[in-house]
């Protein structure tokens, strides 16, 4: 009941997705998350209810799915394993993938709109910080390896090398044509 309740709360915040899910009314899907798993049935109004019926399709999301989803939704969607009715799993998965928690809305009921907005902004910046640090660290490592250790070539060196290879290729092609003409003469 917990999983269905959480998803119904998110669906209530997204009426378009709820209406889209209503098209699947009566269909059963098993949702497997790292901590909890449940079979849910789509109700007439596009919400979910727990079911004891056999699942027509299964969506299995490993723990890394939730970590990846913060940074790259497409990469996260490739980590979902489906079984059973693939069409149903795909439709349900796409609908559920569109759900987003409006934390500020829920927080505003507890602490008011202004404080909820500020808390949400701080939380978003805290979630973005590791990504930014990782990007800066990657750039620093590349610069160190390229400039300090001289392990990676600098861009202008690569460009020069490629230009020299192109010139050599053209020279060899001209030489081959001259040799062919000489062979025809002799």
């Amino acid at each position: 009941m917990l999983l269905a309740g959480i998803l119904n709360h998110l669906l209530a915040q997204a009426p378009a997705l709820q209406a889209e899910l209503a098209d699947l009314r009566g269909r059963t899907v098993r949702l497997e998350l790292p901590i909890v798993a449940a079979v849910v049935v789509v109700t007439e109004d596009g919400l979910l209810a727990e079911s004891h019926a056999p699942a027509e399709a299964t969506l299995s999301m490993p723990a890394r799915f939730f970590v990846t989803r913060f940074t790259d939704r497409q990469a996260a969607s490739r980590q979902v394993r489906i079984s059973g009715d693939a069409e149903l799993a795909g439709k349900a998965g796409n609908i559920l993938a569109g759900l987003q928690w409006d934390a500020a809305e829920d927080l505003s009921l507890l602490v008011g709109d202004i404080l909820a907005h500020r808390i949400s902004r701080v939380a978003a910046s805290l979630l973005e910080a590791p990504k930014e640090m990782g990007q800066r660290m990657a750039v620093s490592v590349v610069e160190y390896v390229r400039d300090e250790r001289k392990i990676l070539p600098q861009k202008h060196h690569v460009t020069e090398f490629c230009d020299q290879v192109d010139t050599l290729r053209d020279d060899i092609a001209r030489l081959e044509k001259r040799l062919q003409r000489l062979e025809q003469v002799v």
Side-chain angles (χ1 to χ4, degrees):
M1 193 67 172
L2 174 69
L3 184 58
I6 291 170
L7 291 173
N8 286 338
H9 178 75
L10 297 176
L11 283 164
Q13 293 178 345
L17 292 174
Q18 184 178 347
E20 197 175 334
L21 191 61
D23 293 340
L24 301 176
R25 65 185 146 277
R27 306 292 302 268
T28 56
V29 178
R30 179 172 173 80
L31 301 173
E32 296 178 348
L33 285 73
I35 298 173
V36 66
V39 175
V40 293
V41 62
V42 180
T43 63
E44 293 289 326
D45 54 354
L47 295 175
L48 300 171
E50 277 201 36
S51 174
H52 296 291
E56 299 173 57
T58 301
L59 292 168
S60 181
M61 292 154 271
R64 68 180 181 277
F65 164 83
F66 297 97
V67 175
T68 306
R69 192 167 192 271
F70 281 116
T71 57
D72 187 353
R73 284 178 172 247
Q74 287 184 342
S77 68
R78 289 189 295 270
Q79 295 175 358
V80 176
R81 292 183 308 260
I82 62 171
S83 60
D85 184 340
E87 185 179 347
L88 172 62
K91 285 180 183 178
N94 286 335
I95 293 168
L96 295 177
L99 292 176
Q100 291 186 7
W101 179 36
D102 188 357
E105 180 66 28
D106 288 342
L107 271 174
S108 70
L109 299 174
L110 297 172
V111 297
D113 291 339
I114 295 172
L115 187 55
H117 179 70
R118 287 183 181 164
I119 291 171
S120 296
R121 227 177 41 224
V122 168
S125 67
L126 288 175
L127 289 174
E128 192 65 28
K131 180 180 174 184
E132 289 177 21
M133 287 185 340
Q135 289 171 339
R136 283 190 296 234
M137 183 180 285
V139 168
S140 295
V141 167
V142 168
E143 288 175 352
Y144 173 76
V145 169
R146 184 190 65 213
D147 298 338
E148 300 296 326
R149 295 293 310 256
K150 307 281 188 209
I151 295 173
L152 293 177
Q154 293 183 351
K155 186 175 181 177
H156 71 277
H157 290 139
V158 173
T159 304
E160 283 177 23
F161 176 76
C162 290
D163 290 344
Q164 290 172 352
V165 169
D166 290 343
T167 302
L168 181 60
R169 182 196 61 225
D170 295 343
D171 291 346
I172 289 172
R174 281 194 296 276
L175 180 60
E176 286 176 346
K177 286 187 180 191
R178 283 184 187 167
L179 288 174
Q180 287 174 354
R181 276 189 259 147
L182 280 175
E183 287 175 355
Q184 290 172 357
V185 171
V186 175

